[in-house]
Amino acid sequence: MRNFVVVGNLATTTPDFSLEDIPGTSGRLDILCRCVNSAFVLSHGIRHDVRIFLVLRGGEDPKTVCLRGRDLRHLNPDERTTAALLKKALGLEATDRWQRSTPGIYVRTRGLADLAVLRGDTIYYLREDGADLREQKVGGDATFVLGDHLGVNEDDEALLESLGAKIVSAGPASLHADHCIVLINNELDRTEAERGYE
Ligand SMILES: C[S@@+](CC[C@H](N)C(=O)[O-])C[C@H]1O[C@@H](n2cnc3c(N)ncnc32)[C@H](O)[C@@H]1O
């Protein structure tokens, strides 16, 4: 399973944003929508072996939305459709237990520190100055943590360090988080294809 975690530092925890102006009214939920697209969307389908956790911090208390490829439905490549699915999830009365919104989309209160995937064996924190991802022989189950336009703050970095996350770079340029996800998926695709040919 490939897991992506994206920190939305200002991303709204309520459905009170406009689909006509997602960047301007949602605390940059548009960035997270593009990450969802990069995580799942293939030319003719959806990646089933992917989950993405969107950590939303633009409210009093954080919320996390999880999208799971295995049972995800109604996802289209455009940002607006994704934002509409998130809007619906954020309209639920969230508790600290995962609650299904639409097929493959779950929501709960709580944030980064409470994510069980960060207790897995292989955690990678994506940062421009990290070790080259290509040198890591990444494969199998892995979790990749990325920031939004504001990056990942010092407290999160300390948490990730305490959990043994490896700091890795997706390449020499500073990229958008969604583009990093495309590159990570591609690296994993290539590794899996090579292993398949052995
Ligand atoms: C637009 S960047 C964040 C820029 C932000 N101003 C900062 O200084 O952190 C969004 C996220 O993409 C990831 N990222 C961008 N370029 C990367 C690279 N070359 N290697 C690894 N991660 C990268 C990081 O996780 C970063 O938090």
Side-chain angles (χ1 to χ4, degrees), residues 162-174:
S162 74
L163 296 172
K166 292 182 193 166
I167 304 177
V168 293
S169 157
S174 183

Side-chain angles (χ1 to χ4, degrees), residues 58-77:
E60 244 171 65
D61 296 311
K63 276 187 189 172
T64 303
V65 177
C66 169
L67 294 90
R68 189 167 67 173
R70 200 174 70 201
D71 39 12
L72 191 54
R73 299 284 179 278
H74 314 308
L75 186 74
N76 289 326

Side-chain angles (χ1 to χ4, degrees), residues 18 29 48 63 72 85 88 94 102 134 144 153 161 171 196:
S18 166
L29 212 52
H48 291 157
K63 276 187 189 172
L72 191 54
L85 290 169
K88 187 157 190 187
T102 48
R134 290 196 164 167
F144 303 89
N153 70 35
E161 191 186 347

Side-chain angles (χ1 to χ4, degrees), residues 27-190:
R28 298 307 311 270
L29 212 52
D30 59 306
I31 295 173
L32 305 189
C33 292
R34 287 194 288 277
C35 288
V36 168
N37 176 305
S38 298
F40 291 109
V41 179
L42 291 166
S43 178
H44 294 292
I46 293 285
R47 292 180 185 272
H48 291 157
D49 59 341
V50 169
R51 283 185 301 187
I52 187 167
F53 296 86
L54 308 175
V55 178
L56 314 177
R57 292 188 169 151
E60 244 171 65
D61 296 311
K63 276 187 189 172
T64 303
V65 177
C66 169
L67 294 90
R68 189 167 67 173
R70 200 174 70 201
D71 39 12
L72 191 54
R73 299 284 179 278
H74 314 308
L75 186 74
N76 289 326
D78 66 293
E79 259 168 61
R80 190 188 160 96
T81 304
T82 308
L85 290 169
L86 297 181
K87 198 186 224 316
K88 187 157 190 187
L90 294 175
L92 295 179
E93 196 67 53
T95 68
D96 59 1
R97 299 178 76 98
W98 290 111
Q99 196 180 156
R100 197 185 86 144
S101 170
T102 48
I105 303 188
Y106 306 83
V107 63
R108 73 169 195 189
T109 57
R110 300 183 179 268
L112 192 66
D114 297 300
L115 277 180
V117 281
L118 293 183
R119 270 72 188 171
D121 286 341
T122 333
I123 315 294
Y124 297 100
Y125 163 34
L126 272 288
R127 202 173 75 187
E128 287 87 332
D129 62 351
D132 190 342
L133 178 67
R134 290 196 164 167
E135 309 290 316
Q136 306 299 313
K137 307 267 180 280
V138 179
D141 291 348
T143 298
F144 303 89
V145 183
L146 305 102
D148 62 1
H149 61 303
L150 299 178
V152 171
N153 70 35
E154 283 180 11
D155 289 347
D156 296 336
E157 289 202 333
L159 170 73
L160 292 169
E161 191 186 347
S162 74
L163 296 172
K166 292 182 193 166
I167 304 177
V168 293
S169 157
S174 183
L175 304 166
H176 290 290
D178 58 317
H179 295 166
C180 292
I181 292 174
V182 171
L183 294 176
I184 295 165
N185 266 333
N186 188 52
E187 287 304 315
L188 293 171
D189 290 346
R190 292 168 71 103

